């Protein structure tokens, strides 16, 4: 079955970024001149997912406004003769058909995904975390969809991290899948997963493979989530549901694979990673890149030991 729906959870509290996120969702913080969540919706759109469900919280209005037409602003830009800015504000409304559902309270990522049940129905779907930026040059999501199409079940994105950082992520025991099973992907990039743990102690981590914010899920995940109680931090954890998916028979929609991502990725809900994302994307920016890079080189050269 072709995958057409993407779910973008954006209802978390963003406590790591307070006070900036007191009144503004972290997903709307700009990375240069585009809100983080727009990069995520662009990625879904590029992978052919044109039906996007945003899971929002109390700041729903601002996120939805960003993906809506802004007729008043468009009229002003038209009058002023500013076609590039006009195109920039229109494009976010043209990326996909945007839907929204409100998560009543931030009870965890698993609970946020469960809020998508009525919209998604019985189809496989993708989940893209609204604060997780993946390098636009890497076809990660397309590769994950290819793995689902070949091997069935559900698929997560994996990244190797230094062992001491694994406690920040979900981690999984992984066994390489034969390269011929999914033609076209880089050799050694597809794994069969078992024994998933959310934010494990370093000594107890099943591997150095961290689960990052992209998922392709079989709809059986909804019944599993309905039956998943609060886990780490008192939240309903998606990782706990994934661990159970790995144990369900393929004929019933179970089975879990991972695709290794080796490109650049930024968790914009983390202040340091956010700053790295801004610097990297500013340096690559078509208008600002060259001036910004020269300034940055001077700044670094003039600040020894900083
Ligand atoms: P995070 O793990 O970054 O959690 O969520 P958080 O609560 O938003 O942030 P901190 O730790 O307090 O700083 C990952 C993604 O899942 C969404 C977030 O909005 C983010 O896109 N999320 C998380 C929800 O939609 N609902 C939740 O209950 C929790």
């Amino acid at each position: 079955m072709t995958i057409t729906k993407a779910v973008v959870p954006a209802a978390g509290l963003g406590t790591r970024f307070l006070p900036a996120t007191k009144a503004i969702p972290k997903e709307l913080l700009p990375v240069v001149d585009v809100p983080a969540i727009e990069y995520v919706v662009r990625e879904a759109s590029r992978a052919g997912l044109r039906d996007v469900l945003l899971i929002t919280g109390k700041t729903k209005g601002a996120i939805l406004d960003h993906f809506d037409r802004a007729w008043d602003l468009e009229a002003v830009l038209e009058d002023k003769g500013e076609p590039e800015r006009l195109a920039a504000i229109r494009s976010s409304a043209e990326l996909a058909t945007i839907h929204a559902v409100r998560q009543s309270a931030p009870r965890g990522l698993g609970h946020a995904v469960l809020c998508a049940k009525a919209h998604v129905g019985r189809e496989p779907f993708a989940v893209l975390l609204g604060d997780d930026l993946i390098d636009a040059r890497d076809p990660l999501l397309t590769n994950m969809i290819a793995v689902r199409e070949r091997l069935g079940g559900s698929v997560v994105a994996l990244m190797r991290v230094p062992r001491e950082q694994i406690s920040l992520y979900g981690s999984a025991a992984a066994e390489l899948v034969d390269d011929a099973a999914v033609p076209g992907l880089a050799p050694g990039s597809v794994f069969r997963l078992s024994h998933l743990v959310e934010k494990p102690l370093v000594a107890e981590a099943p591997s150095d493979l961290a689960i990052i914010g992209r998922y392709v899920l079989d709809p059986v995940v909804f019944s599993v989530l309905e039956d998943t109680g609060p886990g780490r931090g008192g939240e309903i954890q998606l990782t706990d549901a994934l661990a159970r998916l790995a144990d369900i028979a393929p004929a019933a929609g179970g089975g879990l694979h991972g695709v290794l991502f080796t490109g650049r990725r930024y968790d914009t809900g983390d202040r340091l990673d956010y700053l790295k994302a801004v610097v990297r994307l500013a340096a690559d920016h078509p208008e600002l890149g060259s001036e910004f890079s020269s300034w940055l080189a001077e700044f670094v050269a003039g600040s020894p030991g900083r």
Side-chain angles (χ1 to χ4, degrees):
M1 187 184 274
T2 321
I3 299 180
T4 57
K5 290 180 180 166
V7 173
V8 179
L13 289 179
T15 54
R16 287 169 296 157
F17 224 127
L18 285 169
T21 47
K22 184 178 172 193
I24 300 168
K26 60 179 167 176
E27 290 81 3
L28 280 185
L29 293 176
V31 179
V32 190
D33 48 6
V34 175
I37 195 168
E38 184 177 326
Y39 293 99
V40 174
V41 174
R42 285 182 188 172
E43 182 191 337
S45 184
R46 270 199 310 277
L49 311 176
R50 304 298 301 264
D51 177 317
V52 174
L53 177 71
L54 305 176
I55 313 292
T56 62
K58 64 185 169 64
T59 42
K60 169 177 170 156
I63 296 186
L64 287 191
D65 286 348
H66 181 74
F67 291 103
D68 201 357
R69 293 289 290 268
W71 300 103
D72 44 354
L73 194 51
E74 288 185 21
V76 171
L77 294 173
E78 248 165 39
D79 285 351
K80 287 172 76 175
E82 298 200 20
E84 279 160 19
R85 290 198 171 119
L86 185 60
I89 65 157
R90 272 190 188 148
S91 64
S92 56
E94 288 161 358
L95 290 170
T97 305
I98 302 286
H99 307 268
V101 62
R102 197 161 170 140
Q103 187 184 12
S104 52
R107 293 174 56 201
L109 179 57
H111 182 255
V113 171
L114 186 53
C115 293
K117 182 182 176 189
H119 181 83
V120 167
R122 298 160 72 90
E123 302 169 28
F125 63 106
V127 174
L128 297 84
L129 300 194
D131 59 349
D132 210 332
L133 259 57
I134 293 285
D135 193 328
R137 290 164 294 191
D138 194 294
L140 173 64
L141 198 52
T142 306
N143 288 343
M144 292 171 70
I145 291 171
V147 171
R148 154 77 200 191
E149 278 164 3
R150 280 278 175 160
L151 305 178
S154 296
V155 187
V156 301
L158 300 170
M159 209 175 69
R160 278 197 201 284
V161 298
R163 194 87 195 178
E164 64 278 8
Q165 285 177 21
I166 197 70
S167 308
L168 300 172
Y169 301 87
S171 176
E175 180 195 329
L176 257 182
V177 167
D178 192 290
D179 290 335
V182 191
L185 268 68
S189 63
V190 183
F191 296 84
R192 185 170 302 104
L193 304 183
S194 59
H195 186 48
L196 279 76
V197 192
E198 180 63 18
K199 299 193 172 68
L201 294 173
V202 172
E204 288 167 17
S207 72
D208 62 349
L209 290 168
I211 299 169
I212 57 170
R214 299 293 180 269
Y215 311 80
V216 173
L217 299 176
D218 187 278
V220 76
V221 75
F222 293 125
S223 50
V224 173
L225 280 168
E226 277 167 340
D227 199 29
T228 301
R232 217 191 139 84
E235 297 190 340
I236 297 176
Q237 298 288 355
L238 183 59
T239 305
D240 293 345
L242 296 173
R244 290 175 56 198
L245 284 183
D247 294 334
I248 293 176
L256 188 67
H257 291 92
V259 174
L260 188 65
F261 174 69
T262 54
R264 288 185 212 138
R265 171 253 171 196
Y266 304 97
D267 171 6
T268 64
D270 173 80
R271 292 172 302 171
L272 187 60
D273 237 21
Y274 172 81
L275 291 172
K276 290 179 188 171
V278 171
V279 170
R280 175 68 77 171
L281 271 73
D284 290 344
H285 194 280
E287 279 168 47
L288 306 171
S290 121
E291 208 175 321
F292 176 72
S293 300
S294 313
W295 174 84
L296 187 62
E298 268 173 45
F299 176 74
V300 173
S303 318
R306 185 174 260 156

